[in-house]
Amino acid sequence: QVQLVESGGGLVQAGGSLRLSCAASGRIFSINTMGWYRRAPGKQRDVVATITNSGSTYYTDSVKGRFTISRDNAKNTVYLQMNSLKPEDTALYYCAADVGSGNIINRYWGQGTQVTVSS
């Protein structure tokens, strides 16, 4: 029904920047919250940042001041601007969206995009 496609990951040096994008497509009636999550090797998938359809944002403490989440509702797309990257940011980054399809809201996940930060 719904597909989320991420892009923008890659290999960067510490202090560098990347911008991740995630576009939702398919049977979408509405989207409430969208967000970015990440999973580092040996760790659980944790929230990085979320944004509601009205623009309210949340950031995990470790990325505050460095990452910025934004969205383009007309394009059903969410972005994550990552600045001042650190080696500890290395992880597989996943996009998520709470999508209304019919009268049911479901959580959908992207396939993940790898971010690797070298020291």
Side-chain angles (χ1 to χ4, degrees):
Q1 288 185 271
V2 177
Q3 185 178 22
L4 304 180
V5 179
E6 300 116 327
S7 62
L11 174 64
V12 298
Q13 293 183 328
S17 298
L18 286 172
R19 188 184 189 225
L20 307 183
S21 299
C22 172
S25 62
R27 193 167 180 267
I28 300 172
F29 293 170
S30 63
I31 302 179
N32 190 15
T33 301
M34 304 184 78
W36 291 94
Y37 297 72
R38 65 187 180 187
R39 179 183 284 122
K43 297 182 179 179
Q44 295 182 333
R45 182 165 60 188
D46 296 323
V47 64
V48 178
T50 63
I51 183 168
T52 70
N53 59 3
S54 61
S56 180
T57 59
Y58 165 85
Y59 298 92
T60 192
D61 286 344
S62 62
V63 308
K64 288 180 179 177
R66 300 188 298 119
F67 292 9
T68 302
I69 189 170
S70 61
R71 65 190 287 171
D72 185 334
N73 291 332
K75 297 181 178 179
N76 290 328
T77 299
V78 64
Y79 307 93
L80 186 67
Q81 178 66 47
M82 303 185 294
N83 298 325
S84 301
L85 283 162
K86 304 175 181 179
E88 50 263 46
D89 295 318
T90 295
L92 188 63
Y93 283 70
Y94 297 90
C95 172
D98 295 335
V99 177
S101 185
N103 65 343
I104 300 175
I105 298 177
N106 295 115
R107 168 63 60 87
Y108 289 90
W109 295 91
Q111 76 285 355
T113 184
Q114 179 67 39
V115 172
T116 302
V117 184
S118 64
S119 60

